[in-house]
């Protein structure tokens, strides 16, 4: 599956070293890379459907200081969808109140029928893009019923409910950003870690520095982070994902088809 990373802080920091360490994991995740630099006035997104360590474009980006309060990164091992740019993370969509949303995903949706209808409108053909479309669709319905934009807490509560439902039988390690709040969720043991220090709040699929203070992220909860601090934490749900032989065979079959060019 994929690897994901985010950095969240109260002040802009240079994070080139962390990103370089993260992208060096791409030997085992060769199907694309993505980078989202969340500036106050725009989301700057770069991505390519090639191995990160082979990307001249990424090398050029990281040859200059990358300074930001909010950064997300992704390296892809395709378990669904082709190796094309529209299938690379991050995904970005607007809601009906013109709020930009960004999502990166580590995992696979094996069975969740409510996502199926978004196959007709997504740009690529991944389960991950459909997750974002589903979240925004439900948010739009909530805000239409309310007759006003949602508050940060209302958005957090809505996502906590939707993610708990989606997590049943599916691996759902997610990082989402709505312009205000960073949402973090993991439901598989030993698949997401965090480090909180003076530099900021870092979250990654595997520790990317030698710091001994990296800890496993708490599973089956949604966390909301602003300025390097957890401000919201959901109740724990019961939908832990456990990888089975059948899951592994499903994933390997798809990877083999990509390698064969099918």
């Amino acid at each position: 599956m994929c690897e994901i990373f985010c950095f969240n802080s109260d002040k802009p920091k240079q994070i080139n070293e962390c990103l370089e360490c993260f992208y060096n994991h791409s030997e085992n995740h060769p199907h694309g890379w993505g980078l989202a630099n969340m500036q106050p006035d725009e989301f700057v997104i770069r991505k390519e459907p090639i191995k990160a360590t082979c990307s001249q474009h990424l090398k050029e980006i990281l040859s200059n200081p990358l300074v930001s309060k909010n950064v997300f990164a992704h390296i892809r091992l395709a378990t669904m969808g082709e190796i094309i740019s529209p299938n690379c993370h991050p995904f970005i969509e607007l809601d009906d109140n013109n709020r930009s949303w960004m999502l990166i995903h580590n995992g696979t949706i094996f069975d969740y029928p409510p996502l199926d209808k978004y196959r007709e409108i997504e740009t690529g053909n991944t389960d991950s893009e459909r997750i974002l479309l589903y979240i925004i669709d439900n948010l739009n319905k909530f805000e239409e019923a309310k007759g006003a934009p949602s508050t940060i807490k209302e958005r957090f509560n809505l996502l906590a409910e939707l993610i708990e439902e989606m997590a049943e039988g599916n691996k759902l390690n997610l990082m989402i950003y709505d312009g205000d709040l960073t949402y973090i969720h993991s439901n598989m043991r030993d698949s997401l870690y965090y480090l909180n220090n003076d530099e900021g709040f870092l979250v990654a699929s595997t520790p990317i520095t030698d710091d001994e203070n990296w800890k496993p992220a708490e599973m089956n909860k949604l966390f909301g982070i602003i300025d390097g601090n957890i401000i919201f934490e959901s109740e724990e749900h019961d939908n832990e994902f456990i990888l089975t032989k059948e899951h592994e065979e499903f994933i390997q079959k798809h990877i083999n088809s990509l390698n064969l060019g099918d």
Side-chain angles (χ1 to χ4, degrees):
M1 299 184 186
C2 307
E3 286 197 20
I4 55 180
F5 164 81
C6 84
F7 171 78
N8 185 285
S9 180
D10 61 341
K11 297 177 182 178
K13 305 282 179 63
Q14 181 175 331
I15 61 163
N16 294 62
E17 185 175 347
C18 287
L19 288 171
E20 288 167 358
C21 291
F22 172 75
Y23 285 122
N24 279 338
H25 296 176
S26 64
E27 285 302 314
N28 295 322
H29 306 82
H31 298 143
W33 65 270
L35 176 64
N37 183 354
M38 305 314 198
Q39 296 296 329
D41 56 346
E42 66 173 333
F43 292 2
V44 181
I45 307 296
R46 301 288 185 268
K47 56 185 183 179
E48 285 183 306
I50 63 174
K51 188 191 302 182
T53 52
C54 295
S55 171
Q56 183 61 34
H57 183 40
L58 180 59
K59 185 176 181 179
E60 291 171 356
I61 292 171
L62 297 181
S63 67
N64 297 299
L66 197 156
V67 180
S68 182
K69 290 173 57 177
N70 294 287
V71 173
F72 300 82
H74 187 276
I75 45 178
R76 185 176 184 232
L77 178 66
T79 59
M80 284 194 182
E82 304 166 82
I83 304 175
I84 55 176
S85 185
N87 286 342
C88 293
H89 307 220
F91 299 100
I92 289 199
E93 294 289 341
L94 287 173
D95 65 25
D96 286 347
N97 278 308
N98 209 37
R99 183 188 300 109
S100 292
W101 288 75
M102 185 280 320
L103 176 145
I104 58 178
H105 175 213
N106 167 22
T108 302
I109 301 295
F110 295 96
D111 183 31
Y112 192 68
L115 296 185
D116 291 346
K117 68 178 182 178
Y118 301 100
R119 295 176 184 271
E120 299 178 1
I121 62 172
E122 64 181 336
T123 303
N125 58 346
T126 68
D127 51 352
S128 304
E129 184 180 3
R130 292 191 286 275
I131 293 170
L132 180 57
L133 294 171
Y134 174 68
I135 288 172
I136 290 177
D137 197 12
N138 279 272
L139 176 70
N140 289 338
K141 291 174 182 176
F142 174 87
E143 293 184 331
E144 182 179 7
K146 181 184 178 182
S150 56
T151 65
I152 293 178
K153 189 62 167 66
E154 286 172 335
R155 295 198 296 276
F156 179 83
N157 290 342
L158 177 62
L159 264 67
E161 179 181 336
L162 296 174
I163 289 170
E164 177 179 351
E165 293 173 357
M166 278 189 284
E168 184 176 0
N170 302 300
K171 184 182 177 186
L172 206 62
N173 286 6
L174 290 170
M175 296 176 177
I176 302 170
Y177 185 68
D178 68 5
D180 296 310
L181 192 64
T182 292
Y183 306 79
I184 304 291
H185 177 268
S186 174
N187 70 329
M188 182 174 175
R189 197 171 302 276
D190 300 326
S191 66
L192 200 66
Y193 297 82
Y194 75 94
L195 175 66
N196 193 7
N197 57 24
D198 293 339
E199 293 300 307
F201 206 105
L202 293 87
V203 187
S205 298
T206 59
I208 56 169
T209 70
D210 294 331
D211 194 305
E212 297 180 352
N213 293 311
W214 283 91
K215 299 176 182 178
E218 196 170 350
M219 288 197 312
N220 300 344
K221 287 186 176 184
L222 183 66
F223 294 91
I225 304 172
I226 293 179
D227 291 342
N229 297 301
I230 296 174
I231 64 167
F232 299 130
E233 177 179 337
S234 73
E235 296 292 325
E236 183 177 352
H237 62 72
D238 297 324
N239 296 326
E240 177 182 355
F241 178 75
I242 299 174
L243 189 68
T244 66
K245 182 179 179 181
E246 288 75 18
H247 292 138
E248 292 177 332
E249 290 174 349
F250 176 92
I251 292 168
Q252 192 59 52
K253 182 178 179 180
H254 182 74
I255 293 172
N256 291 343
S257 74
L258 295 171
N259 291 338
L260 292 170
D262 294 344

